[in-house]
Amino acid sequence: MNVLVTGGCGFIGSNLVKYLRRERPAWTVVNLDKLTYAGNLESLSELEGDPQHVFIRGDIGNRELVEHLMSVHAIDAVMHLAAESHVDRSILGPEVFVTTNVLGTQQLLEASRARGVRRFLMVSTDEVYGSLGPTGAFTESSPLQPSSPYSASKTSSDLVALAYHHTFNLDVVVTRCSNNYGRYQFPEKLIPLMVVNALHDKPLPVYGDGGNVRDWLHVEDHCHALLLALEKGRAGEVYNIGGGAERRNIDIVKAILGLVGKPESLIQYVKDRPGHDRRYAIDPSKIRAELGWTPAHTFEQGLAETVRWFVDHPAWWQRVTSGAYRQYFETQYRTR
Ligand code: NAD
Ligand code: DAU
């Protein structure tokens, strides 16, 4: 089996590539990544010299390149994670979100159709459903009501992928997951940003009143769900993925301060994110019942382990925050 993982140098992608190499050692994983600011080959340094991990620097929107590598590597399946992923960036500059997430995905789907790919796993997000009130949870049939340019672009790509199934019979499965946390997350997202700021005794910027709720899932549990969806999901179906760990942002920030032994006086309430979704919660009954998925990590244990990882790996995030990680590709890969 030869799998094309797009965005395999990002947070979830790099965890997924390593997960696949461990769980499916006979497979070859071809990793197509543009190495934007969020792509970091250092997150995959343990795979250096592994002949069954093939890294290709390129854009999912480059149809010629994608078709070429699908044919050279005889790609059976695509796991599509490449995207612009950060909501705040989509508010500052929406254009690249449409270019990569919508148009890039469509090019990848077209290449998959042309090259007879047997399964296309579209990694989508719970943000397609918009915001919840104080009760209830998103099911796969909840209305699609995205709020931000990021979530609107992901909703578009999710629907274009489903349209390729309905119209062209491409074997597409869509997953919609809640907020991930874990090792190698770029320190612009809530949890790593707060850890890094706390370690530097810098203010911890909490948006609005800190009462927004997210439903957190350990990235390894997401990877497990993605593999199940790839191997056992039904074509044309959508599967919600979520860990049942709803937490208010402010409670997470306080927990992080406790774990690193820093005072709550570092918390700074700042202007709210425009259009900020209040609450997300996932009903994962379908993937549990149909594919037998259950998360292995509890949030408290996973958060403590993640914070410990950031404390123990200052070199990784210092090189990310300084920008030095971007030279790694030139030194480690260009020379091969
Ligand atoms: P990330 O920003 O950490 O990584 C994205 C990766 O995609 C980077 O390596 C980047 O270089 C690459 N990339 C960007 N544009 C590209 C292009 N045009 N061509 C090729 N590669 C490109 O993102 P993440 O948090 O790991 O999220 C991965 C996927 O999972 C995204 O599709 C995201 O929407 C989805 N998702 C994320 C979460 C979460 O909590 N992080 C939850 C649900 C779904
Ligand atoms: O729900 C899945 C989504 O989760 C993914 O599709 C996105 O790719 C991913 O980025 C994430 O989106 P969020 O906007 O929920 O994640 P973020 O880490 O940016 O923010 C989490 C919450 O914390 C949100 O309510 C905003 C708040 N926040 C975030 C930052 C960066 C703060 O209060 N302060 C901050 O500095």
PDB file of all heavy atoms in Angstrom, residues 11 37-38 40 86 89 182 184-197 200 202 309-310 314 316-322 325:
ATOM      1  N   PHE A  11       1.511  19.866  12.143  1.00  0.00           N
ATOM      2  CA  PHE A  11       1.306  19.277  13.473  1.00  0.00           C
ATOM      3  C   PHE A  11       0.679  17.883  13.377  1.00  0.00           C
ATOM      4  O   PHE A  11       1.297  16.868  13.749  1.00  0.00           O
ATOM      5  CB  PHE A  11       0.454  20.245  14.301  1.00  0.00           C
ATOM      6  CG  PHE A  11      -0.215  19.642  15.489  1.00  0.00           C
ATOM      7  CD1 PHE A  11       0.506  18.891  16.415  1.00  0.00           C
ATOM      8  CD2 PHE A  11      -1.579  19.836  15.711  1.00  0.00           C
ATOM      9  CE1 PHE A  11      -0.122  18.334  17.528  1.00  0.00           C
ATOM     10  CE2 PHE A  11      -2.209  19.295  16.819  1.00  0.00           C
ATOM     11  CZ  PHE A  11      -1.486  18.538  17.723  1.00  0.00           C
ATOM     12  N   TYR A  37       5.051  28.358   6.597  1.00  0.00           N
ATOM     13  CA  TYR A  37       5.548  28.655   7.943  1.00  0.00           C
ATOM     14  C   TYR A  37       5.205  27.519   8.920  1.00  0.00           C
ATOM     15  O   TYR A  37       5.899  27.311   9.917  1.00  0.00           O
ATOM     16  CB  TYR A  37       4.925  29.980   8.455  1.00  0.00           C
ATOM     17  CG  TYR A  37       3.517  29.779   8.954  1.00  0.00           C
ATOM     18  CD1 TYR A  37       3.260  29.544  10.304  1.00  0.00           C
ATOM     19  CD2 TYR A  37       2.434  29.729   8.063  1.00  0.00           C
ATOM     20  CE1 TYR A  37       1.972  29.282  10.760  1.00  0.00           C
ATOM     21  CE2 TYR A  37       1.156  29.473   8.512  1.00  0.00           C
ATOM     22  CZ  TYR A  37       0.929  29.251   9.859  1.00  0.00           C
ATOM     23  OH  TYR A  37      -0.333  28.969  10.297  1.00  0.00           O
ATOM     24  N   ALA A  38       4.116  26.756   8.636  1.00  0.00           N
ATOM     25  CA  ALA A  38       3.644  25.729   9.582  1.00  0.00           C
ATOM     26  C   ALA A  38       4.252  24.361   9.332  1.00  0.00           C
ATOM     27  O   ALA A  38       4.058  23.440  10.128  1.00  0.00           O
ATOM     28  CB  ALA A  38       2.121  25.620   9.510  1.00  0.00           C
ATOM     29  N   ASN A  40       7.283  21.795   9.189  1.00  0.00           N
ATOM     30  CA  ASN A  40       8.577  21.717   9.862  1.00  0.00           C
ATOM     31  C   ASN A  40       9.135  20.308   9.735  1.00  0.00           C
ATOM     32  O   ASN A  40       8.673  19.374  10.411  1.00  0.00           O
ATOM     33  CB  ASN A  40       8.393  22.102  11.336  1.00  0.00           C
ATOM     34  CG  ASN A  40       9.707  22.170  12.080  1.00  0.00           C
ATOM     35  OD1 ASN A  40      10.755  21.837  11.549  1.00  0.00           O
ATOM     36  ND2 ASN A  40       9.634  22.611  13.323  1.00  0.00           N
ATOM     37  N   HIS A  86      -4.969  28.110  10.623  1.00  0.00           N
ATOM     38  CA  HIS A  86      -5.132  28.948  11.817  1.00  0.00           C
ATOM     39  C   HIS A  86      -6.191  30.045  11.628  1.00  0.00           C
ATOM     40  O   HIS A  86      -6.069  30.900  10.754  1.00  0.00           O
ATOM     41  CB  HIS A  86      -3.791  29.562  12.195  1.00  0.00           C
ATOM     42  CG  HIS A  86      -3.776  30.128  13.584  1.00  0.00           C
ATOM     43  ND1 HIS A  86      -4.287  29.456  14.672  1.00  0.00           N
ATOM     44  CD2 HIS A  86      -3.342  31.312  14.064  1.00  0.00           C
ATOM     45  CE1 HIS A  86      -4.153  30.191  15.761  1.00  0.00           C
ATOM     46  NE2 HIS A  86      -3.588  31.330  15.414  1.00  0.00           N
ATOM     47  N   ARG A  89      -5.128  33.774  11.541  1.00  0.00           N
ATOM     48  CA  ARG A  89      -4.476  34.155  10.283  1.00  0.00           C
ATOM     49  C   ARG A  89      -5.511  34.342   9.181  1.00  0.00           C
ATOM     50  O   ARG A  89      -5.333  35.173   8.276  1.00  0.00           O
ATOM     51  CB  ARG A  89      -3.459  33.088   9.857  1.00  0.00           C
ATOM     52  CG  ARG A  89      -2.184  33.104  10.675  1.00  0.00           C
ATOM     53  CD  ARG A  89      -1.223  32.017  10.200  1.00  0.00           C
ATOM     54  NE  ARG A  89      -0.094  31.916  11.112  1.00  0.00           N
ATOM     55  CZ  ARG A  89       1.122  32.432  10.886  1.00  0.00           C
ATOM     56  NH1 ARG A  89       1.374  33.055   9.751  1.00  0.00           N
ATOM     57  NH2 ARG A  89       2.071  32.302  11.771  1.00  0.00           N
ATOM     58  N   GLY A 182      -1.114  18.216  21.410  1.00  0.00           N
ATOM     59  CA  GLY A 182      -0.073  17.200  21.518  1.00  0.00           C
ATOM     60  C   GLY A 182       1.271  17.743  21.083  1.00  0.00           C
ATOM     61  O   GLY A 182       1.437  18.958  20.887  1.00  0.00           O
ATOM     62  N   TYR A 184       4.596  18.702  18.962  1.00  0.00           N
ATOM     63  CA  TYR A 184       4.889  19.302  17.665  1.00  0.00           C
ATOM     64  C   TYR A 184       3.777  20.227  17.158  1.00  0.00           C
ATOM     65  O   TYR A 184       3.681  20.467  15.964  1.00  0.00           O
ATOM     66  CB  TYR A 184       5.174  18.226  16.590  1.00  0.00           C
ATOM     67  CG  TYR A 184       6.361  17.351  16.910  1.00  0.00           C
ATOM     68  CD1 TYR A 184       6.192  16.047  17.364  1.00  0.00           C
ATOM     69  CD2 TYR A 184       7.652  17.840  16.773  1.00  0.00           C
ATOM     70  CE1 TYR A 184       7.283  15.245  17.663  1.00  0.00           C
ATOM     71  CE2 TYR A 184       8.753  17.042  17.070  1.00  0.00           C
ATOM     72  CZ  TYR A 184       8.552  15.746  17.519  1.00  0.00           C
ATOM     73  OH  TYR A 184       9.635  14.955  17.807  1.00  0.00           O
ATOM     74  N   GLN A 185       2.924  20.738  18.061  1.00  0.00           N
ATOM     75  CA  GLN A 185       1.920  21.713  17.594  1.00  0.00           C
ATOM     76  C   GLN A 185       2.569  23.085  17.497  1.00  0.00           C
ATOM     77  O   GLN A 185       3.300  23.523  18.403  1.00  0.00           O
ATOM     78  CB  GLN A 185       0.711  21.751  18.536  1.00  0.00           C
ATOM     79  CG  GLN A 185      -0.421  22.608  17.965  1.00  0.00           C
ATOM     80  CD  GLN A 185      -1.749  22.417  18.675  1.00  0.00           C
ATOM     81  OE1 GLN A 185      -1.793  22.120  19.870  1.00  0.00           O
ATOM     82  NE2 GLN A 185      -2.842  22.579  17.952  1.00  0.00           N
ATOM     83  N   PHE A 186       2.301  23.784  16.423  1.00  0.00           N
ATOM     84  CA  PHE A 186       2.922  25.092  16.176  1.00  0.00           C
ATOM     85  C   PHE A 186       2.492  26.069  17.266  1.00  0.00           C
ATOM     86  O   PHE A 186       1.288  26.186  17.565  1.00  0.00           O
ATOM     87  CB  PHE A 186       2.485  25.613  14.799  1.00  0.00           C
ATOM     88  CG  PHE A 186       3.348  26.726  14.282  1.00  0.00           C
ATOM     89  CD1 PHE A 186       4.502  26.450  13.555  1.00  0.00           C
ATOM     90  CD2 PHE A 186       3.029  28.050  14.537  1.00  0.00           C
ATOM     91  CE1 PHE A 186       5.306  27.469  13.079  1.00  0.00           C
ATOM     92  CE2 PHE A 186       3.829  29.076  14.063  1.00  0.00           C
ATOM     93  CZ  PHE A 186       4.970  28.796  13.336  1.00  0.00           C
ATOM     94  N   PRO A 187       3.457  26.803  17.851  1.00  0.00           N
ATOM     95  CA  PRO A 187       3.108  27.639  19.012  1.00  0.00           C
ATOM     96  C   PRO A 187       2.372  28.935  18.686  1.00  0.00           C
ATOM     97  O   PRO A 187       2.644  29.976  19.260  1.00  0.00           O
ATOM     98  CB  PRO A 187       4.474  27.919  19.663  1.00  0.00           C
ATOM     99  CG  PRO A 187       5.487  27.613  18.636  1.00  0.00           C
ATOM    100  CD  PRO A 187       4.888  26.702  17.613  1.00  0.00           C
ATOM    101  N   GLU A 188       1.385  28.808  17.766  1.00  0.00           N
ATOM    102  CA  GLU A 188       0.413  29.882  17.544  1.00  0.00           C
ATOM    103  C   GLU A 188      -0.948  29.448  18.093  1.00  0.00           C
ATOM    104  O   GLU A 188      -1.821  30.277  18.305  1.00  0.00           O
ATOM    105  CB  GLU A 188       0.278  30.191  16.044  1.00  0.00           C
ATOM    106  CG  GLU A 188      -0.267  29.023  15.246  1.00  0.00           C
ATOM    107  CD  GLU A 188      -0.336  29.233  13.739  1.00  0.00           C
ATOM    108  OE1 GLU A 188      -0.077  30.352  13.269  1.00  0.00           O
ATOM    109  OE2 GLU A 188      -0.649  28.258  13.028  1.00  0.00           O
ATOM    110  N   LYS A 189      -1.108  28.131  18.312  1.00  0.00           N
ATOM    111  CA  LYS A 189      -2.380  27.594  18.787  1.00  0.00           C
ATOM    112  C   LYS A 189      -2.426  27.683  20.320  1.00  0.00           C
ATOM    113  O   LYS A 189      -1.385  27.752  20.978  1.00  0.00           O
ATOM    114  CB  LYS A 189      -2.540  26.131  18.347  1.00  0.00           C
ATOM    115  CG  LYS A 189      -2.406  25.887  16.842  1.00  0.00           C
ATOM    116  CD  LYS A 189      -3.529  26.471  16.034  1.00  0.00           C
ATOM    117  CE  LYS A 189      -3.720  25.885  14.646  1.00  0.00           C
ATOM    118  NZ  LYS A 189      -2.672  26.181  13.667  1.00  0.00           N
ATOM    119  N   LEU A 190      -3.642  27.651  20.865  1.00  0.00           N
ATOM    120  CA  LEU A 190      -3.844  27.974  22.286  1.00  0.00           C
ATOM    121  C   LEU A 190      -2.856  27.276  23.231  1.00  0.00           C
ATOM    122  O   LEU A 190      -2.138  27.952  23.990  1.00  0.00           O
ATOM    123  CB  LEU A 190      -5.284  27.636  22.711  1.00  0.00           C
ATOM    124  CG  LEU A 190      -5.572  27.915  24.193  1.00  0.00           C
ATOM    125  CD1 LEU A 190      -5.735  29.406  24.454  1.00  0.00           C
ATOM    126  CD2 LEU A 190      -6.823  27.169  24.669  1.00  0.00           C
ATOM    127  N   ILE A 191      -2.809  25.958  23.211  1.00  0.00           N
ATOM    128  CA  ILE A 191      -2.044  25.250  24.252  1.00  0.00           C
ATOM    129  C   ILE A 191      -0.539  25.504  24.144  1.00  0.00           C
ATOM    130  O   ILE A 191       0.073  25.978  25.109  1.00  0.00           O
ATOM    131  CB  ILE A 191      -2.421  23.747  24.283  1.00  0.00           C
ATOM    132  CG1 ILE A 191      -3.859  23.618  24.822  1.00  0.00           C
ATOM    133  CG2 ILE A 191      -1.425  22.936  25.120  1.00  0.00           C
ATOM    134  CD1 ILE A 191      -4.443  22.224  24.839  1.00  0.00           C
ATOM    135  N   PRO A 192       0.092  25.281  22.980  1.00  0.00           N
ATOM    136  CA  PRO A 192       1.552  25.540  22.942  1.00  0.00           C
ATOM    137  C   PRO A 192       1.899  27.006  23.125  1.00  0.00           C
ATOM    138  O   PRO A 192       2.937  27.317  23.736  1.00  0.00           O
ATOM    139  CB  PRO A 192       1.976  25.028  21.563  1.00  0.00           C
ATOM    140  CG  PRO A 192       0.730  24.918  20.766  1.00  0.00           C
ATOM    141  CD  PRO A 192      -0.392  24.672  21.721  1.00  0.00           C
ATOM    142  N   LEU A 193       1.045  27.909  22.637  1.00  0.00           N
ATOM    143  CA  LEU A 193       1.339  29.337  22.818  1.00  0.00           C
ATOM    144  C   LEU A 193       1.385  29.692  24.307  1.00  0.00           C
ATOM    145  O   LEU A 193       2.294  30.397  24.772  1.00  0.00           O
ATOM    146  CB  LEU A 193       0.262  30.189  22.123  1.00  0.00           C
ATOM    147  CG  LEU A 193       0.427  31.689  22.322  1.00  0.00           C
ATOM    148  CD1 LEU A 193       1.403  32.265  21.317  1.00  0.00           C
ATOM    149  CD2 LEU A 193      -0.892  32.427  22.224  1.00  0.00           C
ATOM    150  N   MET A 194       0.411  29.165  25.053  1.00  0.00           N
ATOM    151  CA  MET A 194       0.356  29.488  26.481  1.00  0.00           C
ATOM    152  C   MET A 194       1.539  28.864  27.226  1.00  0.00           C
ATOM    153  O   MET A 194       2.110  29.484  28.130  1.00  0.00           O
ATOM    154  CB  MET A 194      -0.970  29.014  27.088  1.00  0.00           C
ATOM    155  CG  MET A 194      -2.197  29.706  26.489  1.00  0.00           C
ATOM    156  SD  MET A 194      -2.176  31.499  26.753  1.00  0.00           S
ATOM    157  CE  MET A 194      -3.520  32.024  25.680  1.00  0.00           C
ATOM    158  N   VAL A 195       1.927  27.659  26.836  1.00  0.00           N
ATOM    159  CA  VAL A 195       3.069  27.013  27.505  1.00  0.00           C
ATOM    160  C   VAL A 195       4.333  27.834  27.253  1.00  0.00           C
ATOM    161  O   VAL A 195       5.082  28.169  28.189  1.00  0.00           O
ATOM    162  CB  VAL A 195       3.278  25.561  26.999  1.00  0.00           C
ATOM    163  CG1 VAL A 195       4.513  24.944  27.652  1.00  0.00           C
ATOM    164  CG2 VAL A 195       2.051  24.703  27.270  1.00  0.00           C
ATOM    165  N   VAL A 196       4.568  28.182  26.000  1.00  0.00           N
ATOM    166  CA  VAL A 196       5.795  28.895  25.639  1.00  0.00           C
ATOM    167  C   VAL A 196       5.822  30.277  26.315  1.00  0.00           C
ATOM    168  O   VAL A 196       6.843  30.686  26.876  1.00  0.00           O
ATOM    169  CB  VAL A 196       5.907  28.993  24.096  1.00  0.00           C
ATOM    170  CG1 VAL A 196       6.980  29.984  23.681  1.00  0.00           C
ATOM    171  CG2 VAL A 196       6.204  27.609  23.502  1.00  0.00           C
ATOM    172  N   ASN A 197       4.690  30.987  26.280  1.00  0.00           N
ATOM    173  CA  ASN A 197       4.654  32.302  26.947  1.00  0.00           C
ATOM    174  C   ASN A 197       4.901  32.162  28.447  1.00  0.00           C
ATOM    175  O   ASN A 197       5.655  32.940  29.038  1.00  0.00           O
ATOM    176  CB  ASN A 197       3.308  32.997  26.716  1.00  0.00           C
ATOM    177  CG  ASN A 197       3.250  33.661  25.347  1.00  0.00           C
ATOM    178  OD1 ASN A 197       4.050  33.358  24.481  1.00  0.00           O
ATOM    179  ND2 ASN A 197       2.304  34.565  25.154  1.00  0.00           N
ATOM    180  N   HIS A 200       8.415  31.767  29.354  1.00  0.00           N
ATOM    181  CA  HIS A 200       9.168  33.020  29.209  1.00  0.00           C
ATOM    182  C   HIS A 200       8.686  34.118  30.156  1.00  0.00           C
ATOM    183  O   HIS A 200       9.103  35.266  30.020  1.00  0.00           O
ATOM    184  CB  HIS A 200       9.021  33.565  27.772  1.00  0.00           C
ATOM    185  CG  HIS A 200       9.861  32.839  26.762  1.00  0.00           C
ATOM    186  ND1 HIS A 200       9.345  32.285  25.611  1.00  0.00           N
ATOM    187  CD2 HIS A 200      11.175  32.575  26.730  1.00  0.00           C
ATOM    188  CE1 HIS A 200      10.316  31.725  24.914  1.00  0.00           C
ATOM    189  NE2 HIS A 200      11.431  31.878  25.572  1.00  0.00           N
ATOM    190  N   LYS A 202       5.959  35.601  29.955  1.00  0.00           N
ATOM    191  CA  LYS A 202       5.267  36.617  29.154  1.00  0.00           C
ATOM    192  C   LYS A 202       3.765  36.524  29.406  1.00  0.00           C
ATOM    193  O   LYS A 202       3.265  35.469  29.826  1.00  0.00           O
ATOM    194  CB  LYS A 202       5.551  36.382  27.663  1.00  0.00           C
ATOM    195  CG  LYS A 202       6.924  36.919  27.247  1.00  0.00           C
ATOM    196  CD  LYS A 202       7.369  36.454  25.878  1.00  0.00           C
ATOM    197  CE  LYS A 202       6.476  36.832  24.733  1.00  0.00           C
ATOM    198  NZ  LYS A 202       7.014  36.382  23.437  1.00  0.00           N
ATOM    199  N   TRP A 309       6.304  17.650  27.447  1.00  0.00           N
ATOM    200  CA  TRP A 309       7.073  17.537  26.198  1.00  0.00           C
ATOM    201  C   TRP A 309       7.616  18.910  25.778  1.00  0.00           C
ATOM    202  O   TRP A 309       8.790  19.030  25.405  1.00  0.00           O
ATOM    203  CB  TRP A 309       6.208  16.930  25.078  1.00  0.00           C
ATOM    204  CG  TRP A 309       7.013  16.687  23.838  1.00  0.00           C
ATOM    205  CD1 TRP A 309       7.765  15.584  23.550  1.00  0.00           C
ATOM    206  CD2 TRP A 309       7.207  17.594  22.736  1.00  0.00           C
ATOM    207  NE1 TRP A 309       8.405  15.739  22.330  1.00  0.00           N
ATOM    208  CE2 TRP A 309       8.074  16.963  21.810  1.00  0.00           C
ATOM    209  CE3 TRP A 309       6.719  18.865  22.435  1.00  0.00           C
ATOM    210  CZ2 TRP A 309       8.469  17.561  20.608  1.00  0.00           C
ATOM    211  CZ3 TRP A 309       7.112  19.471  21.243  1.00  0.00           C
ATOM    212  CH2 TRP A 309       7.982  18.826  20.351  1.00  0.00           C
ATOM    213  N   PHE A 310       6.787  19.938  25.869  1.00  0.00           N
ATOM    214  CA  PHE A 310       7.264  21.278  25.490  1.00  0.00           C
ATOM    215  C   PHE A 310       8.354  21.761  26.450  1.00  0.00           C
ATOM    216  O   PHE A 310       9.337  22.376  26.026  1.00  0.00           O
ATOM    217  CB  PHE A 310       6.090  22.277  25.411  1.00  0.00           C
ATOM    218  CG  PHE A 310       5.363  22.212  24.084  1.00  0.00           C
ATOM    219  CD1 PHE A 310       4.284  21.360  23.910  1.00  0.00           C
ATOM    220  CD2 PHE A 310       5.776  22.970  22.999  1.00  0.00           C
ATOM    221  CE1 PHE A 310       3.626  21.270  22.680  1.00  0.00           C
ATOM    222  CE2 PHE A 310       5.137  22.893  21.765  1.00  0.00           C
ATOM    223  CZ  PHE A 310       4.061  22.039  21.611  1.00  0.00           C
ATOM    224  N   PRO A 314      12.859  22.414  24.519  1.00  0.00           N
ATOM    225  CA  PRO A 314      12.919  23.850  24.192  1.00  0.00           C
ATOM    226  C   PRO A 314      13.556  24.106  22.826  1.00  0.00           C
ATOM    227  O   PRO A 314      13.178  25.040  22.137  1.00  0.00           O
ATOM    228  CB  PRO A 314      13.767  24.438  25.332  1.00  0.00           C
ATOM    229  CG  PRO A 314      14.515  23.288  25.915  1.00  0.00           C
ATOM    230  CD  PRO A 314      13.668  22.072  25.695  1.00  0.00           C
ATOM    231  N   TRP A 316      13.187  22.549  20.057  1.00  0.00           N
ATOM    232  CA  TRP A 316      12.210  22.450  18.953  1.00  0.00           C
ATOM    233  C   TRP A 316      11.422  23.744  18.831  1.00  0.00           C
ATOM    234  O   TRP A 316      11.359  24.337  17.757  1.00  0.00           O
ATOM    235  CB  TRP A 316      11.271  21.245  19.160  1.00  0.00           C
ATOM    236  CG  TRP A 316      10.299  21.095  18.005  1.00  0.00           C
ATOM    237  CD1 TRP A 316      10.533  20.429  16.839  1.00  0.00           C
ATOM    238  CD2 TRP A 316       8.984  21.662  17.896  1.00  0.00           C
ATOM    239  NE1 TRP A 316       9.436  20.550  16.006  1.00  0.00           N
ATOM    240  CE2 TRP A 316       8.487  21.290  16.626  1.00  0.00           C
ATOM    241  CE3 TRP A 316       8.180  22.436  18.738  1.00  0.00           C
ATOM    242  CZ2 TRP A 316       7.213  21.667  16.183  1.00  0.00           C
ATOM    243  CZ3 TRP A 316       6.911  22.822  18.290  1.00  0.00           C
ATOM    244  CH2 TRP A 316       6.441  22.437  17.031  1.00  0.00           C
ATOM    245  N   TRP A 317      10.834  24.224  19.950  1.00  0.00           N
ATOM    246  CA  TRP A 317       9.974  25.410  19.797  1.00  0.00           C
ATOM    247  C   TRP A 317      10.774  26.702  19.736  1.00  0.00           C
ATOM    248  O   TRP A 317      10.321  27.687  19.163  1.00  0.00           O
ATOM    249  CB  TRP A 317       8.846  25.453  20.828  1.00  0.00           C
ATOM    250  CG  TRP A 317       9.225  25.304  22.275  1.00  0.00           C
ATOM    251  CD1 TRP A 317       9.167  24.159  23.014  1.00  0.00           C
ATOM    252  CD2 TRP A 317       9.685  26.332  23.161  1.00  0.00           C
ATOM    253  NE1 TRP A 317       9.567  24.403  24.301  1.00  0.00           N
ATOM    254  CE2 TRP A 317       9.885  25.733  24.416  1.00  0.00           C
ATOM    255  CE3 TRP A 317       9.938  27.703  23.016  1.00  0.00           C
ATOM    256  CZ2 TRP A 317      10.336  26.441  25.531  1.00  0.00           C
ATOM    257  CZ3 TRP A 317      10.376  28.423  24.122  1.00  0.00           C
ATOM    258  CH2 TRP A 317      10.581  27.783  25.356  1.00  0.00           C
ATOM    259  N   GLN A 318      12.007  26.696  20.290  1.00  0.00           N
ATOM    260  CA  GLN A 318      12.828  27.917  20.147  1.00  0.00           C
ATOM    261  C   GLN A 318      13.199  28.118  18.684  1.00  0.00           C
ATOM    262  O   GLN A 318      13.201  29.237  18.180  1.00  0.00           O
ATOM    263  CB  GLN A 318      14.085  27.829  21.021  1.00  0.00           C
ATOM    264  CG  GLN A 318      13.792  28.197  22.467  1.00  0.00           C
ATOM    265  CD  GLN A 318      14.879  27.739  23.429  1.00  0.00           C
ATOM    266  OE1 GLN A 318      15.884  27.135  23.034  1.00  0.00           O
ATOM    267  NE2 GLN A 318      14.677  28.006  24.707  1.00  0.00           N
ATOM    268  N   ARG A 319      13.503  27.029  17.987  1.00  0.00           N
ATOM    269  CA  ARG A 319      13.835  27.145  16.564  1.00  0.00           C
ATOM    270  C   ARG A 319      12.590  27.528  15.750  1.00  0.00           C
ATOM    271  O   ARG A 319      12.695  28.204  14.739  1.00  0.00           O
ATOM    272  CB  ARG A 319      14.459  25.845  16.055  1.00  0.00           C
ATOM    273  CG  ARG A 319      15.901  25.686  16.524  1.00  0.00           C
ATOM    274  CD  ARG A 319      16.487  24.342  16.135  1.00  0.00           C
ATOM    275  NE  ARG A 319      16.470  24.098  14.695  1.00  0.00           N
ATOM    276  CZ  ARG A 319      17.297  24.680  13.830  1.00  0.00           C
ATOM    277  NH1 ARG A 319      18.193  25.552  14.252  1.00  0.00           N
ATOM    278  NH2 ARG A 319      17.222  24.398  12.552  1.00  0.00           N
ATOM    279  N   VAL A 320      11.422  27.097  16.214  1.00  0.00           N
ATOM    280  CA  VAL A 320      10.183  27.504  15.539  1.00  0.00           C
ATOM    281  C   VAL A 320       9.930  28.996  15.775  1.00  0.00           C
ATOM    282  O   VAL A 320       9.668  29.754  14.830  1.00  0.00           O
ATOM    283  CB  VAL A 320       8.975  26.678  16.041  1.00  0.00           C
ATOM    284  CG1 VAL A 320       7.669  27.233  15.480  1.00  0.00           C
ATOM    285  CG2 VAL A 320       9.133  25.211  15.637  1.00  0.00           C
ATOM    286  N   THR A 321      10.045  29.424  17.018  1.00  0.00           N
ATOM    287  CA  THR A 321       9.717  30.830  17.296  1.00  0.00           C
ATOM    288  C   THR A 321      10.766  31.775  16.702  1.00  0.00           C
ATOM    289  O   THR A 321      10.447  32.890  16.296  1.00  0.00           O
ATOM    290  CB  THR A 321       9.508  31.083  18.805  1.00  0.00           C
ATOM    291  OG1 THR A 321      10.504  30.374  19.532  1.00  0.00           O
ATOM    292  CG2 THR A 321       8.177  30.582  19.291  1.00  0.00           C
ATOM    293  N   SER A 322      12.010  31.319  16.577  1.00  0.00           N
ATOM    294  CA  SER A 322      13.038  32.195  15.987  1.00  0.00           C
ATOM    295  C   SER A 322      13.015  32.128  14.460  1.00  0.00           C
ATOM    296  O   SER A 322      13.609  32.953  13.787  1.00  0.00           O
ATOM    297  CB  SER A 322      14.430  31.777  16.461  1.00  0.00           C
ATOM    298  OG  SER A 322      14.808  30.571  15.819  1.00  0.00           O
ATOM    299  N   TYR A 325      14.019  26.985  12.208  1.00  0.00           N
ATOM    300  CA  TYR A 325      13.601  25.658  11.735  1.00  0.00           C
ATOM    301  C   TYR A 325      13.454  25.618  10.207  1.00  0.00           C
ATOM    302  O   TYR A 325      13.535  24.571   9.590  1.00  0.00           O
ATOM    303  CB  TYR A 325      12.280  25.243  12.396  1.00  0.00           C
ATOM    304  CG  TYR A 325      11.068  25.981  11.867  1.00  0.00           C
ATOM    305  CD1 TYR A 325      10.161  25.350  11.008  1.00  0.00           C
ATOM    306  CD2 TYR A 325      10.816  27.305  12.210  1.00  0.00           C
ATOM    307  CE1 TYR A 325       9.053  26.019  10.521  1.00  0.00           C
ATOM    308  CE2 TYR A 325       9.717  27.971  11.727  1.00  0.00           C
ATOM    309  CZ  TYR A 325       8.842  27.336  10.877  1.00  0.00           C
ATOM    310  OH  TYR A 325       7.744  28.000  10.392  1.00  0.00           O
TER     311      TYR A 325
END
